[in-house]
Amino acid sequence: MRIQLNGEAFELPDGQTVAELLARLDLAGRRVAVELNLDIVPRSQHASTALRDGDRVEVVHAIGGG
């Protein structure tokens, strides 16, 4: 399937979850925010949220500072 990841086309096997996408991107366990089709996906739902062809995903790294 093809999704839009941070504005770019990205190919994934069918049935992938948000958690599997993050693992593929080497972001598993990191502090990131995930938006799926304009809705924030809570971390507790990453493993149960399946991606579908045409989904728009934005992954934002949390950066601390002051």
Side-chain angles (χ1 to χ4, degrees):
M1 76 176 150
R2 177 173 273 184
I3 64 169
Q4 288 287 317
L5 175 62
N6 293 342
E8 301 286 331
F10 193 83
E11 292 284 336
L12 284 174
D14 289 343
Q16 293 277 282
T17 64
V18 170
E20 291 167 326
L21 171 63
L22 293 176
R24 181 179 287 262
L25 299 171
D26 292 326
L27 295 175
R30 299 223 178 134
R31 297 185 65 135
V32 296
V34 178
E35 181 183 278
L36 174 60
N37 300 323
L38 303 178
D39 292 319
I40 297 295
V41 180
R43 181 180 297 260
S44 62
Q45 294 178 16
H46 287 183
S48 63
T49 302
L51 298 170
R52 294 177 177 78
D53 191 53
D55 278 347
R56 298 177 62 90
V57 181
E58 296 288 327
V59 178
V60 180
H61 298 265
I63 298 174

